[in-house]
Amino acid sequence: MNPFSIALCTFCLLSACATSTPDHYYILSSQPPAAGVARTAPVSQVALSMSVPSLVDRYEMVLNTGSTGVIVLEHERWAAPLSDLMTQALAQDIERRRPDLLVAGRALAPASGASVKLAVNVVQMSVRKGDRATIETQWRMLDGRGTEEAGGAVFSAPLGGDNYAGVAQAVSECLGLLADRLVARIPLK
């Protein structure tokens, strides 16, 4: 075999091994998906900070395969770090439920100017394809009067369909349920 034939065979073998699987990108959406209530002039500002476990706070989707196993999906990806997407969706969910609130992330809201400081910690997030998404959360809320409240809960939503867009939808629904719980705790001014 001549060197050209060897090079051609090597190129063909390498080309056959390479896959061209396209990446798919997902975002989280505020819930409910219909247009929110009309905004009033915000009366209170909420400074929101949110933490997400490093296991799932990545661009690739992570699915649970059992009680101790996970699979990282290289081509099913979040369009931004999951913690950013979750913070943005939760902020929008709170504002939809309470048009008198303006919710800003920690970087945008000066701590001294916020009427309410809200720290949410996602303790655990699990997603089982074909089943459901679950987030376990803890939160701490401090209002402008110095009243502090802490709580926690587990929120779960079924995956609609057997595709990865259903994962994003179910996580969005879990955040909507969390927003329902938090809005009931944020004091009226």
Side-chain angles (χ1 to χ4, degrees):
M1 234 181 177
N2 66 32
F4 177 76
S5 297
I6 292 173
L8 182 60
C9 287
T10 303
F11 176 76
C12 289
L13 286 173
L14 289 175
S15 295
C17 293
T19 61
S20 60
T21 304
D23 290 340
H24 301 103
Y25 294 91
Y26 303 91
I27 59 170
L28 299 175
S29 58
S30 56
Q31 298 296 311
V37 295
R39 294 274 309 151
T40 60
V43 175
S44 298
Q45 183 179 11
V46 177
L48 173 64
S49 64
M50 191 166 193
S51 64
V52 177
S54 60
L55 174 67
V56 295
D57 191 19
R58 55 188 345 164
Y59 284 99
E60 303 88 0
M61 278 189 180
V62 177
L63 301 183
N64 296 75
T65 59
S67 61
T68 59
V70 295
I71 184 170
V72 178
L73 303 170
E74 183 63 35
H75 299 290
E76 306 302 325
R77 305 172 72 83
W78 298 110
L82 187 57
S83 57
D84 291 351
L85 293 174
M86 291 179 86
T87 302
Q88 180 184 22
L90 181 59
Q92 291 172 351
D93 286 345
I94 291 171
E95 287 179 350
R96 280 181 181 240
R97 288 156 177 78
R98 287 277 303 274
D100 63 317
L101 297 176
L102 176 63
V103 182
R106 184 182 336 165
L108 299 176
S112 61
S115 301
V116 176
K117 296 175 189 163
L118 177 60
V120 177
N121 179 26
V122 176
V123 178
Q124 184 174 10
M125 179 174 136
S126 65
V127 178
R128 297 190 190 284
K129 190 169 181 212
D131 188 13
R132 56 193 325 97
T134 303
I135 60 171
E136 179 183 345
T137 62
Q138 296 175 343
W139 62 83
R140 197 176 113 244
M141 189 179 311
L142 180 65
D143 68 20
R145 298 178 300 242
T147 305
E148 185 173 349
E149 181 180 341
V154 176
F155 303 97
S156 184
L159 269 64
D162 194 30
N163 58 32
Y164 297 108
V167 171
Q169 180 61 33
V171 172
S172 295
E173 288 175 18
C174 289
L175 291 171
L177 295 170
L178 172 60
D180 289 338
R181 182 74 54 94
L182 293 173
V183 162
R185 301 284 194 233
I186 297 174
L188 294 170
K189 199 155 197 187

